[in-house]
Amino acid sequence: MAMRLSRRVVPVAALMALSLAGGAHAAAPPQGYQTDAAFARSYAGGGVQSVSATTERVSCYGPEVLYLVGLDPTKGYPDGGGTACTGATTGESVGPYSSQDRTNRSLVVKEHSESDLHVDPTDASHVVGVSKWVVNAEGYNHLTGFFESFDGGLTWPAQGHVPGYEGWTDNSDPVAAFDPWGNLYTVVLPYMFDYDASGRHRFLSPAVNPALPRSGLGIAVRPKGATSADTWLTAHGNRLDLIATTPFEGANVFDKQWIAIDTNPRSAHRGRVYVAWAIGGDDDSLRIYSSHADARPDGTHTDWTGPRLALRQAPGFGDNGAIPRVAPDGTVWLATTTFSRAGAPFTISVTSSRNGGVTWSPRRIALRGQRVDGYENTTFRSAFGLAFAVGPRKTGGSYPLYIAYEDATASGTGLFARASFDGGRHWRRPVRIDDDRGPGEALQPNLAVSPRGTVSVAFYDRRLPCPGRASVEAARAGLQLDPRQPFGRQDYCVNTAVQFYRPSLRPVGRNVRLSAHTWDPQLSSPRPACICSAGGFIGDYFGVDSAGGFTYAASVTTANVAGENPGFHQQQLVSKIRTP
């Protein structure tokens, strides 16, 4: 993300006065409540398979800005700071890189948070995830990396940082999508900063690699059949494949890009790649722009169109987190969140394009009154709290639209879902997703819809207390290394969960646990603002996809179950469950 912008700002009271019933829904989950013991057993009962994907290889790269400072184990960083690489096992280049203006030592990638994950539409056994690839958590020093499976998620032999954009300090907010021919498009947000003596970030610093733009939106394509870590297409027209750079429209900050690709055989725009993002000078001035290009079977594409404003907005209000999704008829839908001064709720709205992203319809409100007040007990920051998907089969003449979102409740942050079956004109009453009665929060929902229309909502769940002192599970979670010593604490440790629904949003069973072992979000947590700030990070979203009869989720874990993660770093846990 663009570091100067906050993730959580909210609309003024004028929006609240117009609100529909949005926050603090009191209704019970339609599937009924579930005991903690039943949820804990649901991992085995649901036939879930999971693997710590990013511990299977050692990845390294030489960052543009070298930052080695770390925090010691007493602060929850058992392996803190930057660590020199003594041998990558990924086969990737560890430097020097043509885009850099200096050569720094290669460092080991330690943390892997904020992910996206997709199943190849041409081969259901081919699954690729992307995430932040962090060499120094305390300095928030990272690129985008990938992890790739060719056997349906059982093993992840291909990994490494995504090459081409090493010349920027960070490249952030990784997201990806497959085109119809099995080429994976990844869009990254490269930006510059360096550090002052206290470790604070000097955002967009002119001292870092001055020949490059201060920030931008970049594309890297992993062509179908690639096997080596460095096999990516990052050039277009004999130059780096940048969609846009700053300054842009007088503003210097990009934020939260998303991508979608039309893979529908009957669509007039099959193969079109859509990217949407926000641009502004501060939160209240953020506006949503989009650009598109047409993919080709060999992994190349046409020129990117000039960025177009997708949604008009009144002065003093900002839009961010625009998520594009493509319906089977080629209509592009886009959901976004509106906000303004702190202290009042968010508004979620949608727009659409029926001519391949050339023009966009006026916004339609999906929800007013969304309130996210942050999370209890821990220090990792709150996220966007919005997911969006389009169903593959018409209901009542329209393709279903689904949103899942965080909202404040009397017991903390909870999750809700709504659906529209008439193109966003009307939205069904919200349904509660998380099904626990206790104080444990649920957060960061993500949505996927299977080819048969089954809706999957994956999320982080905090209902299970942290393991007790002196237990095997507490040692696996590393709780003895957390300065807060959270043994037995509620609403603190984290698991991953999923809830399935029929296309009508009728639940299928109850929440299923996707992580076999509870983990501590405070350990090795990246510091987005500064090493001197206690605010941590587990990502603002995580990946989920549903295809080939299975649903996959790529989420964070810091657990060390069998010696695979002795530093209790943030790793990507890929979970697989049969889609009902």
Side-chain angles (χ1 to χ4, degrees):
M1 72 169 281
M3 294 305 302
R4 190 154 57 102
L5 303 182
S6 65
R7 280 300 197 202
R8 277 297 172 192
V9 286
V10 284
V12 294
L15 274 181
M16 193 172 184
L18 296 172
S19 71
L20 303 171
H25 310 293
Q31 69 270 27
Y33 291 109
Q34 180 176 199
T35 66
D36 287 357
F39 175 72
R41 293 191 302 266
S42 66
Y43 177 90
V48 181
Q49 298 174 286
S50 60
V51 60
S52 178
T54 49
T55 59
E56 294 188 359
R57 296 289 185 273
V58 176
S59 177
C60 304
Y61 64 84
E64 168 69 21
V65 177
L66 188 67
Y67 190 77
L68 299 175
V69 182
L71 295 171
D72 62 59
T74 63
K75 296 183 178 179
Y77 292 79
D79 183 28
T83 299
C85 179
T86 58
T89 64
T90 57
E92 69 194 303
S93 171
V94 297
Y97 308 107
S98 60
S99 60
Q100 293 185 344
D101 64 348
R102 66 195 74 182
T103 299
N104 284 319
R105 73 185 73 174
S106 178
L107 302 181
V108 177
V109 175
K110 295 182 176 180
E111 319 307 327
H112 313 75
S113 56
E114 196 161 272
S115 60
D116 196 15
L117 178 139
H118 293 279
V119 179
D120 186 341
T122 70
D123 178 2
S125 65
H126 182 210
V127 187
V128 184
V130 293
S131 78
K132 285 180 174 171
W133 223 243
V134 186
V135 292
N136 186 292
E138 297 92 324
Y140 203 59
N141 198 338
H142 62 80
L143 301 181
T144 290
F146 78 101
F147 45 104
E148 184 171 18
S149 174
F150 304 97
D151 56 10
L154 298 179
T155 61
W156 299 83
Q159 299 188 27
H161 77 279
V162 175
Y165 296 91
E166 298 94 344
W168 283 264
T169 311
D170 280 6
N171 53 77
S172 192
D173 290 15
V175 288
F178 277 104
D179 72 12
W181 304 282
N183 306 298
L184 183 82
Y185 279 70
T186 299
V187 55
V188 299
L189 195 166
Y191 63 99
M192 302 295 194
F193 69 88
D194 58 12
Y195 304 90
D196 66 16
S198 71
R200 294 187 183 277
H201 301 175
R202 292 185 289 213
F203 187 62
L204 305 183
S205 169
V208 181
N209 211 348
L212 294 178
R214 298 301 85 191
S215 63
L217 288 175
I219 291 289
V221 181
R222 187 154 175 84
K224 178 72 172 179
T227 55
S228 71
D230 289 336
T231 305
W232 289 81
L233 306 178
T234 58
H236 179 73
N238 296 317
R239 54 195 300 184
L240 198 59
D241 197 355
L242 291 163
I243 299 173
T245 59
T246 54
F248 176 82
E249 297 290 327
N252 287 299
V253 179
F254 287 143
D255 202 16
K256 195 60 223 102
Q257 76 284 1
W258 287 101
I259 186 172
I261 302 180
D262 190 342
T263 60
N264 303 290
R266 289 177 289 180
S267 169
H269 303 291
R270 181 174 185 250
R272 181 153 293 181
V273 184
Y274 300 94
V275 177
W277 71 96
I279 179 70
D282 54 37
D283 289 310
D284 294 352
S285 68
L286 285 172
R287 297 293 181 266
I288 303 301
Y289 282 80
S290 69
S291 180
H292 61 264
D294 292 325
R296 301 185 180 110
D298 63 356
T300 64
H301 58 80
T302 62
D303 294 341
W304 295 101
T305 61
R308 292 178 178 270
L309 184 67
L311 287 162
R312 298 196 176 278
Q313 184 56 275
F317 296 90
D319 290 321
N320 203 354
I323 306 172
R325 297 289 183 256
V326 185
D329 64 357
T331 300
V332 189
W333 289 90
L334 187 149
T336 192
T337 303
T338 300
F339 45 80
S340 185
R341 294 188 297 273
F346 286 38
T347 296
I348 298 169
S349 56
V350 299
T351 182
S352 62
S353 174
R354 298 185 180 275
N355 55 12
V358 176
T359 59
W360 296 87
S361 67
R363 73 173 72 223
R364 289 177 173 169
I365 302 301
L367 177 79
R368 289 189 175 100
Q370 182 197 12
R371 297 184 296 112
V372 177
D373 299 331
Y375 311 131
E376 302 292 333
N377 304 321
T378 44
T379 64
F380 64 89
R381 75 181 184 198
S382 54
F384 279 115
L386 171 65
F388 176 58
V390 179
R393 299 179 180 181
K394 287 185 176 180
T395 301
S398 296
Y399 292 104
L401 307 179
Y402 303 102
I403 60 170
Y405 57 95
E406 296 180 358
D407 212 347
T409 74
S411 58
T413 299
L415 300 180
F416 300 86
R418 301 188 85 175
S420 172
F421 300 99
D422 62 0
R425 295 177 181 85
H426 304 89
W427 292 80
R428 299 281 179 89
R429 291 181 63 84
V431 298
R432 181 74 180 253
I433 296 168
D434 49 308
D435 59 16
D436 62 305
R437 283 186 182 274
E441 294 173 298
L443 50 132
Q444 293 194 17
N446 204 348
L447 273 168
V449 186
S450 77
R452 295 170 53 187
T454 300
V455 179
S456 309
V457 184
F459 58 96
Y460 286 131
D461 187 283
R462 304 177 74 185
R463 76 185 74 183
L464 297 182
C466 293
R469 190 182 297 272
S471 68
V472 172
E473 281 299 297
R476 287 170 169 170
L479 301 190
Q480 71 280 6
L481 300 168
D482 187 332
R484 300 184 178 206
Q485 298 287 286
F487 300 103
R489 285 193 64 174
Q490 292 186 308
D491 197 22
Y492 192 101
C493 291
V494 181
N495 280 275
T496 309
V498 68
Q499 177 64 48
F500 293 107
Y501 297 92
R502 298 299 178 208
S504 63
L505 279 190
R506 177 170 60 87
V508 181
R510 291 185 168 87
N511 295 173
V512 178
R513 185 184 184 188
L514 294 181
S515 49
H517 304 280
T518 300
W519 58 279
D520 185 339
Q522 294 297 111
L523 295 181
S524 306
S525 181
R527 302 266 179 115
C530 172
I531 190 174
C532 52
S533 170
F537 181 78
I538 64 169
D540 291 323
Y541 53 89
F542 67 91
V544 62
D545 200 6
S546 189
F550 292 94
T551 295
Y552 297 84
S555 59
V556 168
T557 182
T558 57
N560 178 34
V561 178
E564 78 285 357
N565 188 25
F568 295 90
H569 294 296
Q570 291 182 348
Q571 306 291 350
Q572 285 294 299
L573 179 76
V574 179
S575 303
K576 177 181 181 180
I577 184 173
R578 190 168 293 279
T579 307

